[in-house]
Amino acid sequence: MRAFNFCAGPAAMPTEVLKKAQEELLDWNGLGVSVMEISHRSADYVAVAEKAESDLRKLMGISDEYAVLFLQGGAALQFSSVPMNLLGRGGVADYLVTGTWSGKAYKEAKRLAAAGLGAVNLVADNSENAVTVPSKSDWNLSDNASYFHYCSNETIHGIRLGVNDLPAIKAPLVADMSSDILSIPIDVSKFGLIYAGAQKNIGPAGLTLVIIQRELLEQASDFCPMVMNYKNQLEADSMLNTPATYSWYLAGLVFEQLLAQGGVEAIYKVNQQKAELLYQTIDESAFYRNDVNKNHRSIMNIPFFLADSNLDKLFLEKSKSAGLLNLKGHRVVGGMRASIYNAVTLEAVQALVEFMKDFEKTHG
Ligand SMILES: *Cc1c(COP(=O)(O)O)cnc(C)c1O
């Protein structure tokens, strides 16, 4: 019996994908070995890698103008790789801070800039009011930025910033989509670069996706480490060093399953239903509360508070015994958080909502 898992990351995987992986764990493709036990350069493995890329291209509508890289080091390494690759010829990069993750990206870019890479400009930050996106009238954009960096979904604060909510920005858009990639249709052609750690909506940890406009591949700093250099990685088919082969294979299975389910449009409908159900339950009750500005509420990560925080511990104990796991909020925000990524079913959210109503009845 599988529990309902609301973990922020590494997060729930689709059960069907895990079953398939289990079936072929010992003997993959009739080779008599696991897919994790073969060379990344073998024809069998290269076919897996290429299929994963072409399925991802289908799912997201990624044109040939873009390269897709399957890297390592997590989204956090991209905090360094992005400025190393895009700010290497000097210039200034614009950073919008809307929560913990974009804040960390900004800090790392600023650190590298101070070491001689270029300049980094803080567009605005929401630390005074970490439940919304700073008002656009307060944004301080550079005239000729090399890129504009933001986070489309702040996993910890539960804040979403869609590309359509951005003002007109001339610089190439760079987005950290770690926690909402593939959950909602997006127009990739609006971006210069998209990156995402895999462990929320793609597959297991260890894999990081980078989708980059090919014309941005020529700007790397001479000091950019070899394996962080996007152009080098592209020329080596993301195999400059041994890639995270098993994570890549599992991501491929997730992509196949998403395509079979009707793609991103179809999963987005389910995601909207899940989020609406949970927000509605929270908003209709005086016992629960979510503070995020309604225009910027995440549909993937939903933090919420109990009116009486003395009940937090009991809520977590009881939810766990009811098979609803990992609802504790991040320590930065406190309270509870339900992460309801693609692999978290509507049934799981229905079970959570029922539990919340029962808990309120008993303790409210
Ligand atoms: C989880 C997360 C990160 C950090 O990912 P790592 O793979 O641990 O480096 C960065 N940004 C966002 C939006 C995240 O959700």
Side-chain angles (χ1 to χ4, degrees):
M1 181 54 200
R2 299 229 327 134
F4 294 126
N5 183 9
F6 299 94
C7 192
M13 289 280 292
T15 301
E16 293 312 309
V17 165
L18 293 181
K19 276 190 185 153
K20 181 154 199 300
Q22 184 180 39
E23 272 164 30
E24 51 193 34
L25 182 65
L26 299 182
D27 177 10
W28 177 76
N29 238 7
L31 295 183
V33 292
S34 166
V35 64
M36 76 175 88
E37 301 173 296
I38 62 172
S39 166
H40 52 295
R41 307 210 183 275
S42 63
D44 289 290
Y45 190 80
V46 168
V48 170
E50 286 176 351
K51 172 86 166 28
E53 178 176 335
S54 73
D55 283 350
L56 180 72
R57 283 182 180 276
K58 268 185 232 162
L59 281 167
M60 294 183 69
I62 304 170
S63 79
D64 281 345
E65 264 180 66
Y66 289 78
V68 178
L69 305 174
F70 290 77
L71 306 178
Q72 297 175 72
L77 189 65
Q78 294 309 310
F79 298 166
S80 323
S81 296
V82 166
M84 281 281 191
N85 279 275
L86 301 187
L87 210 48
R89 300 284 172 264
V92 56
D94 277 356
Y95 276 73
L96 176 69
V97 173
T98 53
T100 301
W101 290 117
S102 52
K104 287 194 183 200
Y106 165 66
K107 249 197 201 154
E108 174 63 357
K110 198 157 167 64
R111 197 182 65 81
L112 292 172
L117 201 56
V120 167
N121 167 53
L122 180 62
V123 171
D125 90 77
N126 70 343
S127 51
E128 295 284 297
N129 189 21
V131 290
T132 191
V133 173
S135 161
K136 283 166 212 170
S137 54
D138 298 333
W139 290 19
N140 169 32
L141 291 161
S142 308
D143 285 336
N144 280 306
S146 300
Y147 62 92
F148 171 92
H149 180 283
Y150 77 106
C151 178
S152 57
N153 187 74
E154 289 284 359
T155 319
I156 292 171
H157 292 84
I159 295 175
R160 172 169 168 74
L161 178 56
V163 64
N164 297 330
D165 298 327
L166 295 176
I169 289 171
K170 270 182 294 165
L173 300 180
V174 175
D176 177 357
M177 292 195 185
S178 294
S179 51
D180 70 342
I181 192 165
L182 294 171
S183 70
I184 182 165
I186 54 152
D187 179 356
V188 173
S189 72
K190 290 189 170 158
F191 293 87
L193 191 156
I194 291 167
Y195 64 90
Q199 68 273 20
K200 278 91 183 211
N201 239 346
I202 295 172
L207 180 72
T208 312
L209 275 186
V210 172
I211 302 164
I212 180 171
Q213 212 173 6
R214 289 181 200 270
E215 64 182 46
L216 296 177
L217 287 167
E218 308 296 333
Q219 296 164 220
S221 154
D222 294 339
F223 299 102
C224 182
M226 166 186 84
V227 294
M228 286 166 67
N229 184 299
Y230 299 139
K231 194 175 176 210
N232 288 353
Q233 283 288 12
L234 178 63
E235 283 166 357
D237 297 323
S238 304
M239 295 187 184
L240 202 55
N241 60 320
T242 311
T245 55
Y246 198 65
S247 297
W248 193 338
Y249 149 83
L250 280 167
L253 295 186
V254 171
F255 299 157
E256 268 177 22
Q257 203 222 14
L258 259 183
L259 280 170
Q261 284 178 321
V264 178
E265 292 282 350
I267 200 80
Y268 176 51
K269 289 208 179 95
V270 182
N271 288 334
Q272 276 179 308
Q273 268 182 290
K274 282 152 46 184
E276 268 166 32
L277 179 60
L278 188 46
Y279 280 122
Q280 195 186 8
T281 305
I282 293 167
D283 290 343
E284 281 175 1
S285 140
F287 190 80
Y288 301 106
R289 189 181 94 241
N290 167 284
D291 294 333
V292 177
N293 176 324
K294 288 193 178 160
N295 297 324
H296 291 292
R297 280 176 158 182
S298 168
I299 63 165
M300 291 283 102
N301 308 96
I302 303 186
F304 59 93
F305 301 91
L306 276 60
D308 178 2
S309 61
N310 292 319
L311 290 170
D312 284 4
K313 204 166 153 263
L314 188 66
F315 183 92
L316 288 168
E317 280 168 17
K318 295 269 181 201
S319 54
K320 190 175 173 193
S321 347
L324 306 160
L325 306 188
N326 299 311
L327 287 164
K328 191 174 182 354
H330 191 280
R331 65 195 139 73
V332 166
V333 172
M336 309 296 152
R337 172 177 50 169
S339 293
I340 52 174
Y341 300 118
N342 285 354
V344 178
T345 57
L346 179 58
E347 186 197 359
V349 177
Q350 283 163 341
L352 171 59
V353 161
E354 284 318 306
F355 171 83
M356 288 169 70
K357 287 180 177 166
D358 283 347
F359 190 85
E360 177 175 355
K361 248 184 233 153
T362 316
H363 303 282

